[in-house]
């Protein structure tokens, strides 16, 4: 998505894994895409708010593509809820305030936080 959208837009890559973002940065640099990297934990409301403010500082925010989700096969229940469910809410709340008129936000996330049976791990 970044390679295609980067032809006409500034890209802000955000995520917890800086090494993965650095690898993507190399590919985008080779294509001449203007991009910025922001280490962000989606479960942290303040970090997501800072991300939205940074994106808005670059100009009109017209496209937000949020892809985040973890699996029960390798993640504790609490973190699934924090990332898949609450993280999505954090993104919507933060970017709703800065999204330009006519802009669009697309959320892709695992449904694991919504379909998991309740366990003793739940607070």
């Amino acid at each position: 998505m970044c390679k295609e959208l980067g032809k006409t837009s500034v890209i802000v890559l955000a995520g917890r894994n800086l090494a993965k973002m650095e690898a993507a940065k190399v590919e985008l640099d080779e294509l001449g895409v203007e991009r910025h990297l922001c280490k962000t934990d989606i479960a942290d409301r303040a970090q997501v708010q800072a991300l939205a403010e940074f994106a808005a500082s670059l100009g009109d925010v017209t496209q937000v593509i949020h892809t985040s989700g973890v699996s029960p096969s390798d993640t504790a229940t609490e973190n699934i809820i924090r990332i898949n469910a609450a993280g999505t809410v954090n993104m919507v709340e933060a970017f709703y305030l800065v999204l330009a008129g006519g802009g669009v936000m697309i959320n892709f996330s695992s449904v694991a936080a919504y379909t998991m049976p309740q366990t003793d791990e739940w607070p």
Side-chain angles (χ1 to χ4, degrees):
M1 285 186 269
C2 290
K3 290 177 183 179
E4 188 61 33
L5 293 174
K7 292 176 182 177
T8 58
S9 303
V10 175
I11 301 296
V12 177
L13 288 172
R16 294 181 301 166
N17 189 321
L18 193 54
K20 286 183 180 179
M21 288 191 299
E22 289 288 346
K25 174 185 164 282
V26 170
E27 288 185 53
L28 295 174
D29 285 348
E30 290 172 359
L31 297 171
V33 172
E34 183 180 350
R35 79 316 159 260
H36 301 270
L37 307 181
C38 293
K39 190 169 188 318
T40 306
D41 180 352
I42 195 169
D44 184 319
R45 183 181 298 259
Q47 287 185 34
V48 176
Q49 184 63 43
L51 172 65
E53 290 169 5
F54 174 72
S57 77
L58 299 172
D60 287 345
V61 177
T62 58
Q63 304 160 0
V64 178
I65 301 173
H66 158 234
T67 60
S68 179
V70 291
S71 168
S73 66
D74 62 2
T75 308
T77 302
E78 181 179 328
N79 285 333
I80 291 170
I81 293 168
R82 288 178 61 243
I83 294 166
N84 295 9
T88 300
V89 170
N90 290 343
M91 284 292 292
V92 170
E93 288 180 345
F95 278 92
Y96 178 78
L97 299 174
V98 300
L99 195 61
V104 63
M105 180 174 193
I106 301 170
N107 292 294
F108 295 95
S109 184
S110 167
V111 297
Y114 301 100
T115 61
M116 293 175 30
Q118 185 170 352
T119 70
D120 291 339
E121 290 182 64
W122 288 37

